[in-house]
Amino acid sequence: MFSIPAGAETARVDDLLSELATASAQEAAGIVREIRLEWSKSGSAAMDLLLKRGRDALAAGKFTLAIEHLTALTDHAPEFAEGWSNLALAYYQADLLGPSVYALERTLALNPRHFGAIKGLGAVFEQLDEPAKAVAAYRKLLDIHPQDPEVLEAVERLEIQVTGQNI
């Protein structure tokens, strides 16, 4: 079985996440790209290939194939949070919300600051018509990535549903 090297959550990612918390909207996009690039490094060429194949299948709309590749990845590298995150996205796009939530929970157990997984939970809660839970997830994300325009808009929109007033 493959295992991620200790310290996979590198000082580089820690620094980038600190920068993200105080970045301007313009700076945030580049920082997010850098973080995602760092998170995509499994430490194994074979696992990186499975991740690439899964992402390519997702991009092509081949959700079943993406799920196959990403399931193989999570089977072989169960400690690789990015594998779980991408598997969650594949399940979500295939409209399999239960498995998507499970994969998101696995992602967050491995990487509690994975803003993509937190955003995914918010999206699932929105789809399940649970606006209060969606807002809670999105607010947690904004603690990490306060400039996410989609999440800022979602919180504003959902707060009206939850409280009945614009906050």
Side-chain angles (χ1 to χ4, degrees):
M1 182 181 292
F2 174 79
S3 65
I4 301 299
E9 179 80 359
T10 63
R12 172 82 176 126
V13 172
D14 289 340
D15 291 345
L16 288 167
L17 285 166
S18 292
E19 288 177 34
L20 183 61
T22 60
S24 70
Q26 294 79 15
E27 296 166 330
I31 295 168
V32 165
R33 275 191 301 277
E34 287 185 60
I35 292 168
R36 288 188 171 142
L37 180 63
E38 291 298 316
W39 281 345
S40 295
K41 297 174 183 176
S42 71
S44 163
M47 298 306 107
D48 291 349
L49 180 60
L50 283 172
L51 179 61
K52 180 186 181 326
R53 287 183 176 167
R55 286 178 170 171
D56 289 348
L58 271 172
K62 298 177 180 179
F63 307 130
T64 301
L65 182 59
I67 290 168
E68 289 173 10
H69 287 302
L70 296 165
T71 297
L73 173 57
T74 57
D75 285 349
H76 293 288
E79 302 301 314
F80 182 43
E82 199 61 19
W84 288 104
S85 174
N86 281 266
L87 180 58
L89 180 59
Y91 281 137
Y92 183 81
Q93 290 185 350
D95 210 22
L96 299 168
L97 298 184
S100 180
V101 168
Y102 175 77
L104 290 167
E105 289 173 348
R106 292 293 304 262
T107 304
L108 291 169
L110 295 166
N111 181 357
R113 300 181 298 173
H114 197 294
F115 46 80
I118 298 167
K119 189 174 187 176
L121 277 178
V124 168
F125 288 137
E126 276 196 76
Q127 192 163 344
L128 294 173
D129 197 27
E130 301 223 24
K133 289 181 179 179
V135 167
Y138 290 147
R139 286 199 179 284
K140 182 176 179 180
L141 182 142
L142 290 173
D143 289 341
I144 299 165
H145 180 3
Q147 298 296 335
D148 187 311
E150 294 170 356
V151 173
L152 290 167
E153 183 277 325
V155 168
E156 184 176 328
R157 176 177 37 81
L158 294 170
E159 279 289 350
I160 295 168
Q161 289 180 16
V162 172
T163 66
Q165 60 187 353
N166 195 353
I167 294 181

